[in-house]
């Protein structure tokens, strides 16, 4: 785990805690080391197997606390978190001593069974991270069509070879990496430059067509980064951060975005991706 990233996350997440005049927390007058930390990360046992629900405890340590457990962060000193991958998982504790120094300690837990985990984590991120590229098996990988009607570009259609004309460096040779760690999304252009952000998905946010059939099976929201060619041309190429998920399986991902106010067969944009 990159220490700079951990420290940045800790500073941001603890800023309000550290400055809250109502916070009544004992802190050490000096600094303690990682070896002196009395902290635990214990999987809850379900049917004789270590589950993905992990009990974290740093109560009484005497430092301001942050836990990074892969797909999330918490500043609680005693809580239960849910990890989304099986196997050996690293839980990283970072503390802020009273004298302003940081201490980190990594605890490894074994997860044998997953409970209550959306399968989309594995679909999007594989066993930890997974690359997605344009679906070059199709004649059109981006374009517009009818909202709630089309499920791929149906009006203005753009081939992979023409994507660079819309978003330079985001056509052939570009890719997106979805990662469990930090719910990270990295867009890598064909020249190797990259933009990092994060993502969340909500598979309960379905959208039905006029006939009542499911048209979109969920929503994907990105932060600080868009998908490849994630723009809305009729809005001055404004970046798009919220997408309907029309299809998502191990090999294919189809996303859509309706222009503001679009009703049935109003203008929507479509992105066609495949697993690399």
């Amino acid at each position: 785990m990159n220490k700079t990233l951990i420290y940045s996350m800790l500073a941001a997440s603890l800023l309000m805690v550290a400055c809250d005049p109502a916070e009544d927390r004992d802190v050490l007058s000096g600094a303690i080391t990682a070896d002196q930390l009395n902290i635990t990360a214990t999987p809850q046992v379900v049917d004789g197997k270590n589950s993905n629900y992990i009990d974290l405890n740093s109560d009484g340590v005497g430092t301001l606390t942050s836990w990074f457990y892969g797909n999330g962060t918490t500043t609680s000193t005693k809580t239960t978190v849910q990890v989304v991958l099986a196997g050996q998982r690293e839980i990283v504790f970072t503390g802020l001593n009273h004298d302003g120094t940081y201490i980190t300690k990594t605890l490894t837990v074994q997860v044998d069974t997953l409970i209550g985990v959306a399968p989309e984590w594995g679909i999007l991120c594989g066993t930890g991270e997974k690359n997605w590229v344009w679906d070059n098996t199709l004649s059109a990988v981006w374009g517009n069509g009818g909202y709630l009607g089309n499920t791929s570009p149906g009006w203005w259609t753009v081939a992979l070879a023409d994507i660079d004309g819309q978003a330079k460096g985001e056509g052939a040779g570009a890719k997106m990496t979805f990662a469990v760690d930090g719910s990270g999304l990295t867009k890598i252009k064909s020249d190797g430059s990259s933009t990092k952000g994060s993502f969340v998905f909500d598979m309960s946010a379905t959208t039905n067509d006029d006939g009542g059939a499911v048209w979109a099976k969920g929503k994907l929201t990105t932060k600080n980064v868009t998908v490849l060619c994630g723009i809305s041309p009729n809005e001055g190429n404004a970046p798009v951060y919220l997408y309907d998920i029309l299809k998502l399986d191990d090999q294919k991902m189809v996303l859509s975005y309706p222009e503001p106010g679009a009703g049935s067969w109003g203008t929507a944009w479509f992105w066609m991706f495949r697993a690399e």
Side-chain angles (χ1 to χ4, degrees), residues 134-141 160 252 272-274:
W134 292 107
D135 189 350
N136 59 357
T137 67
L138 303 174
S139 59
V141 298
L160 176 56
K252 303 283 187 177
M272 316 297 290
F273 300 116
R274 66 169 178 83

Side-chain angles (χ1 to χ4, degrees), residues 8-254:
S8 298
M9 292 167 58
L10 178 67
S13 61
L14 295 182
L15 181 59
M16 293 184 66
V17 174
C19 297
D20 189 348
E23 180 72 16
D24 183 16
R25 188 185 295 242
D26 292 331
V27 294
L28 299 184
S29 57
I32 63 174
T33 66
D35 291 339
Q36 294 173 297
L37 286 172
N38 182 21
I39 60 176
T40 58
T42 308
Q44 294 182 0
V45 177
V46 178
D47 296 330
K49 296 181 179 180
N50 287 350
S51 77
N52 56 311
Y53 285 88
I54 313 297
D55 295 328
L56 305 178
N57 192 347
S58 60
D59 205 18
V61 166
T63 68
L64 294 175
T65 293
S66 177
W67 295 91
F68 179 74
Y69 52 93
N71 50 290
T73 304
T74 179
T75 57
S76 297
T77 58
K78 193 173 184 179
T79 190
T80 300
V81 298
Q82 182 195 45
V83 300
V84 297
L85 292 177
Q88 288 194 336
R89 314 312 311 166
E90 289 189 343
I91 312 292
V92 181
F93 171 89
T94 304
L96 178 63
N97 278 312
H98 185 68
D99 66 358
T101 59
Y102 290 98
I103 46 174
T104 64
K105 188 172 185 177
T106 300
L107 304 178
T108 301
V109 298
Q110 175 64 37
V111 176
D112 299 318
T113 184
L114 298 177
I115 299 173
V117 175
E120 286 74 22
W121 279 106
I123 293 172
L124 278 170
C125 305
T127 58
E129 62 178 43
K130 184 175 177 179
N131 293 331
W132 292 84
V133 297
W134 292 107
D135 189 350
N136 59 357
T137 67
L138 303 174
S139 59
V141 298
W142 182 70
N144 62 19
Y147 180 54
L148 303 182
N150 290 126
T151 54
S152 62
W155 301 340
W156 181 50
T157 61
V158 180
L160 176 56
D162 298 322
I163 291 294
D164 277 345
Q166 305 298 320
K168 187 177 181 180
E170 298 188 19
K175 62 184 177 181
M176 304 173 294
T177 301
F178 285 81
V180 168
D181 276 358
S183 302
L185 172 57
T186 303
K187 178 165 65 175
I188 305 170
K189 294 186 177 182
S190 56
D191 63 2
S193 62
S194 63
T195 305
K196 294 184 177 182
S198 59
F199 72 92
V200 295
F201 58 84
D202 182 359
M203 303 312 292
S204 68
T206 58
T207 303
N208 294 339
D209 63 18
D210 290 346
V214 174
W215 180 77
K217 60 190 298 183
K219 291 188 182 296
L220 173 72
T221 302
T222 66
K223 183 178 180 181
N224 297 328
V225 65
T226 70
V227 301
L228 296 174
C229 197
I231 57 175
S232 178
N234 293 335
E235 297 176 82
N237 286 342
V240 175
Y241 298 106
L242 177 61
Y243 306 85
D244 287 306
I245 302 173
L246 306 192
K247 183 175 184 178
L248 181 61
D249 59 32
D250 284 333
Q251 295 300 318
K252 303 283 187 177
M253 175 166 52
V254 178

